Amino acid sequence: MQRLAKWQLLVGLATVILLAVGLWMSLAAPLDFQQGNSVRILYAHVPSAKMSLLIYLFVTGASIAFLWKKSETADILAEAAVPVGAAFSAVTLASGSIWGKPMWGAWWAWDARLTSMLVLLIIYVGLMALRNAFDDQGKAARATAVLAIIGAIDLPIIHYSVTWWRTLHQPASFDGPGKISVQGPLLTPLLVMSAAFILLGIYLVLLNARVVATRRRVESLEDEEAWNHG
Amino acid sequence: MVDGTPTPDYTPYVMAVYGLAALVYGGLTLLGHWRLKGLKQRLDDFGHDRRERSDDNSGDT
């Protein structure tokens, strides 16, 4: 636990530095010739979207590890990551909506990318609700792990929605090396903000993992006390 | 704009997004630290109670 706290502190410091640099670069970046300064919204929107997918991928991996190896650490990490992923998804949807109003003329459209992203947020909320629906921690862990694995089907749908269907949402801004549609001065702040958001995600998952592990320890001590006094 | 017309100023939209992101991510961080502090306090209380009980028991014998 102490080692986790040390790592969390280091990641936290790196996050603050990178976020400050990324924010400064985002606000100093040149305007887009069509979008004007609304392009700055994308420096928060795109990294949030990437993180909501990456965190779900992590939750899926941790869920598989839990079901396969019966590892409590994997279950703690899965439980800790879900609210963080939900927050990234919520910010993605809200920031996309705020960007969409001036650019598309609408806060929301039932477009394949937007709808599949909304489904991801609903899955995250469903995972939190399902875990809280059980008194037995073991059953809760197994049920949420199964739902998380089933829910992973939404990831390729989100990723490929812009190519599989004719959508209002533009294709991915950057999709790995050599598949970048954003040019030079607008790209650098996006990459820095993306790196900062990856660190922010790791920081929040580590922090939540400490909360979940400590809460479980307190609960087991409370159960022990109740057993001794009962 | 492409035809030469200046693009409108979207600063309120930009500020709304940055403010929302700061509120959500900052809020999540503060909430995590606040919960961790409370849980650690409860763990300490457990340790304290147990030490007291163990002292009492050793006094009895």
Side-chain angles (χ1 to χ4, degrees):
Chain A
M1 191 67 95
Q2 283 300 318
R3 211 166 49 179
L4 198 64
K6 203 172 114 188
W7 273 108
Q8 189 207 320
L9 183 69
L10 285 175
V11 174
L13 284 173
T15 307
V16 169
I17 293 167
L18 214 53
L19 267 180
V21 174
L23 194 64
W24 176 77
M25 288 178 93
S26 305
L27 295 174
L31 306 185
D32 181 82
F33 82 105
Q34 276 183 316
Q35 299 178 45
N37 64 348
S38 77
V39 73
R40 302 193 204 289
I41 291 175
L42 303 184
Y43 299 132
H45 173 76
V46 175
S48 292
K50 294 278 179 203
M51 282 314 292
S52 53
L53 298 186
L54 276 177
I55 286 181
Y56 198 89
L57 205 60
F58 176 77
V59 171
T60 310
S63 300
I64 293 169
F66 167 70
L67 290 178
W68 190 13
K69 300 275 183 190
K70 304 280 174 232
S71 153
E72 202 201 344
T73 309
D75 182 46
I76 289 173
L77 287 172
E79 185 181 349
V82 167
V84 180
F88 277 116
S89 307
V91 170
T92 303
L93 287 168
S95 58
S97 180
I98 294 170
W99 179 87
K101 181 60 184 164
M103 291 299 113
W104 295 344
W107 294 103
W108 181 261
W110 290 102
D111 161 282
R113 172 57 72 85
L114 276 67
T115 308
S116 53
M117 198 67 206
L118 178 64
V119 169
L120 183 70
L121 177 61
I122 293 169
I123 293 171
Y124 272 128
V125 174
L127 286 172
M128 287 190 275
L130 187 64
R131 194 177 278 274
N132 287 318
F134 289 91
D135 285 332
D136 182 333
Q137 196 176 286
K139 278 184 189 168
R142 281 191 295 278
T144 44
V146 170
L147 178 63
I149 294 165
I150 295 169
I153 199 162
D154 194 36
L155 295 185
I157 296 176
I158 295 172
H159 187 78
Y160 293 108
S161 57
V162 285
T163 45
W164 288 348
W165 293 284
R166 287 165 62 90
T167 60
L168 191 57
H169 194 284
Q170 64 271 41
S173 307
F174 63 100
D175 200 11
K179 294 178 183 171
I180 301 170
S181 59
V182 185
Q183 296 300 310
L186 295 175
L187 178 65
T188 318
L190 191 58
L191 293 177
V192 174
M193 283 298 265
S194 298
F197 272 51
I198 289 172
L199 287 179
L200 177 66
I202 294 171
Y203 176 80
L204 289 172
V205 171
L206 288 177
L207 174 64
N208 252 3
R210 288 177 67 205
V211 170
V212 173
T214 315
R215 194 204 66 222
R216 287 186 184 191
R217 215 167 136 212
V218 167
E219 281 171 359
S220 86
L221 283 170
E222 280 174 350
D223 288 348
E224 212 177 289
E225 290 280 304
W227 178 259
N228 288 339
H229 287 93
Chain B
M1 209 49 105
V2 188
D3 60 4
T5 351
T7 47
D9 182 19
Y10 298 116
T11 304
Y13 293 95
V14 177
M15 289 301 120
V17 167
Y18 282 34
L20 177 80
L23 200 69
V24 173
Y25 302 139
L28 206 59
T29 308
L30 289 178
L31 183 71
H33 281 287
W34 177 70
R35 285 183 67 199
L36 190 62
K37 196 179 163 193
L39 287 163
K40 277 182 170 175
Q41 183 61 52
R42 277 170 74 186
L43 264 186
D44 286 349
D45 292 347
F46 266 115
H48 186 68
D49 288 352
R50 286 193 167 188
R51 270 194 304 278
E52 268 190 352
R53 264 202 306 274
S54 140
D55 289 348
D56 289 350
N57 288 342
S58 60
D60 290 345
T61 50

